[in-house]
Amino acid sequence: DYADMKIAYCATSPAGAKTLCSTAASRFSPSGSSGSVTSSTSQAMEWFCAKESSELASKDSICKRASLLKQMRDATTTPDAKKDLLKQLKEHPAPAYGTTQAIYADFCKIKTNGELPLCTSLRRTAESKKMASWYCASSEEAKQGLWCRRSELVAKLSKLPFTDSSKAEERKAISAQLSSMMKPTPGGGPSPSKQMSDEISKAKKSYCEMHAELKGTYCASPNPP
């Protein structure tokens, strides 16, 4: 998945990110409404930018981007103004995924923020990652399944900075692999999306049977984040 900054990054239609930004399995999909999560991610960024000091050298750019995104989401912003905002966003590229996750994690450590949609989604996402790691390592059959193979490529792609031109060819190659994986099955049969859905359901069912303590949290959600 996939936090507000990633969604915002994809909103700029960056070159070479078609697969990452368009496929459903790559998106941040919390069980709550996307609007409520976006609202609390905005709160997290406002909290971060209001802090007097930060060890992050990129704080100014991150906060400038957050301000631009807030204007983009404003219903009163005209189409022409949005075009100008998009140009400015290109000057302040999305920070590394790990950076935003660290900001959100610190924000969610504050007791009063714990039940905000962003923070509950972060907890579900963390548990989902544990489940995926467990399942994909459980057998060779699982490891070679479409979901596990695709997850491995998505993880590789997420570690390649979009602002690093030296990684452009590597990003392009991985994106091509991801795109190829999602093509319709030759000769008919279950679609790749259906295959992945079935694999995830199977994995989650087995994982939750082993972890009764998650019954009211991660395992209560209808779909993995």
Side-chain angles (χ1 to χ4, degrees), residues 4-61:
D4 188 42
M5 296 302 284
K6 182 174 181 183
I7 294 173
Y9 171 78
C10 291
T12 66
S13 300
K18 183 178 179 181
T19 301
L20 183 65
C21 295
S22 66
T23 54
S26 292
R27 292 180 183 168
F28 180 59
S29 304
S31 59
S33 71
S34 59
S36 61
V37 174
T38 298
S39 176
S40 52
T41 55
S42 296
Q43 285 180 252
M45 295 310 295
E46 289 175 5
W47 166 81
F48 169 73
C49 294
K51 294 172 68 176
E52 292 186 2
S53 62
S54 171
E55 296 180 358
L56 280 176
S58 57
K59 180 181 178 181
D60 288 346
S61 181

Side-chain angles (χ1 to χ4, degrees), residues 103-123:
I103 292 171
Y104 297 155
D106 284 346
F107 174 76
C108 290
K109 288 176 184 176
I110 300 173
K111 189 174 182 179
T112 53
N113 297 337
E115 295 308 312
L116 288 173
L118 166 66
C119 301
T120 56
S121 290
L122 283 180
R123 291 197 294 274

Side-chain angles (χ1 to χ4, degrees), residues 85-106:
L85 289 170
L86 283 173
K87 290 180 182 179
Q88 293 183 62
L89 279 170
K90 291 179 180 179
E91 298 174 8
H92 300 280
Y97 178 70
T99 299
T100 55
Q101 289 300 98
I103 292 171
Y104 297 155
D106 284 346

